[in-house]
Amino acid sequence: MTDLSAFPIATRWPASHPDRIQLYSYPTPNGVKVSIALEELGLPYEAHAVNIGKNESWTPEFLSLNPNGKIPAMIDPDGPGGRPIGLFESGAILLYLTDKTGKLIPADPVRRYETIQWVFFQMASIGPIFGQVGFFHKFAGREIADKRPLERYRDESRRLIGVLETRLKGRSWIMDDDYTIADVSMLGWVRNLIGFYEARELVGFDDFPNVAAWLERGLARPAVQKGLNIPARG
């Protein structure tokens, strides 16, 4: 039987199936990236809900695996060389899973790096900026009388959506006909921006038909529909 005792996180969220990938997450845009990828790849895994509303990601057990205190984190008991590996940061996990399976990323080296650059685009730009729109438009920041921060993030969000709009012209997916981790990394964020963050009108989302069609295609995928709700919020 696989022994996960070297990972303190497994004491707070014990594994029922320690031979499977252990996912510690919550259904946020960053969290669902990994659950969607796992569903798309068909890898056996066990999902543990780390309730960020209760600050569970700041517990010592979670921090022992992810010192950044953000979801998601993951343990693969069958890591490189058959040894367990613990990982944090969703982009790194996506790249690891593609390396493990050889799927969701082109085999050609040039197209592989092109795919990775779009994952980095999400992590460095779309994720942080859309998150700020959520804060200033829906959460505590909406109470701030000075609307300049909201306007700054609104304008930058429009610019970033415009980058996607241009990229997706004449393409089904970010990498042409190849559905990849680049798409996986961004679907949850765009969905959240116009849905949960209620910012569709704010950012003028309907001005970007290529992005809207891409989002519709992505959300129609069964693995995406399932992954968006994993782990269950409980």
Side-chain angles (χ1 to χ4, degrees):
M1 185 172 179
T2 304
D3 182 9
L4 299 179
S5 62
F7 297 93
I9 195 169
T11 62
R12 186 179 181 99
W13 291 278
S16 298
H17 305 281
D19 57 326
R20 301 179 185 176
I21 288 173
Q22 303 294 304
L23 173 64
Y24 307 92
S25 190
Y26 205 63
T28 69
N30 278 334
V32 300
K33 281 185 264 181
V34 177
S35 56
I36 290 170
L38 288 166
E39 287 293 324
E40 293 279 9
L41 294 167
L43 289 168
Y45 70 99
E46 182 176 359
H48 305 274
V50 179
N51 192 325
I52 59 175
K54 297 180 179 178
N55 291 323
E56 289 184 345
S57 65
W58 300 105
T59 58
E61 295 88 353
F62 187 84
L63 291 170
S64 69
L65 182 56
N66 184 353
N68 194 30
K70 304 291 185 180
I71 54 95
M74 187 192 82
I75 298 171
D76 183 359
D78 183 26
R83 294 177 296 174
I85 182 173
L87 293 169
F88 69 97
E89 296 298 339
S90 56
I93 294 173
L94 289 180
L95 288 170
Y96 171 79
L97 294 174
T98 61
D99 283 345
K100 182 180 178 73
T101 61
K103 300 177 181 178
L104 289 183
I105 198 166
D108 174 75
V110 172
R111 288 179 58 77
R112 172 184 166 84
Y113 281 109
E114 289 175 352
T115 304
I116 292 171
Q117 79 180 346
W118 286 104
V119 174
F120 285 8
F121 170 74
Q122 181 275 302
M123 297 193 69
S125 298
I126 278 185
I129 297 299
F130 286 12
Q132 291 299 322
V133 167
F135 175 76
F136 285 104
H137 182 61
K138 178 166 182 167
F139 298 114
R142 74 182 184 276
E143 305 296 338
I144 298 174
D146 186 347
K147 297 305 177 186
R148 284 176 294 180
L150 172 62
E151 291 165 0
R152 183 260 189 266
Y153 290 115
R154 175 203 64 198
D155 293 347
E156 183 64 0
S157 292
R158 276 189 60 85
R159 186 188 73 80
L160 295 173
I161 300 169
V163 172
L164 278 182
E165 178 73 8
T166 299
R167 175 64 183 180
L168 288 165
K169 184 178 181 180
R171 292 181 169 92
S172 296
W173 306 109
I174 291 169
M175 293 303 296
D176 307 308
D177 292 329
D178 293 330
Y179 173 81
T180 68
I181 54 171
D183 302 286
V184 170
S185 74
M186 291 189 231
L187 284 167
W189 275 109
V190 177
R191 172 180 177 264
N192 243 46
L193 179 70
I194 64 172
F196 185 66
Y197 293 160
E198 301 173 348
R200 186 184 195 109
E201 184 176 350
L202 177 73
V203 301
F205 186 76
D206 293 334
D207 295 338
F208 305 99
N210 294 328
V211 177
W214 162 84
L215 179 62
E216 184 176 356
R217 281 191 294 275
L219 294 179
R221 296 178 69 90
V224 173
Q225 282 295 306
K226 186 173 182 181
L228 287 171
N229 298 299
I230 294 175
R233 288 179 181 264

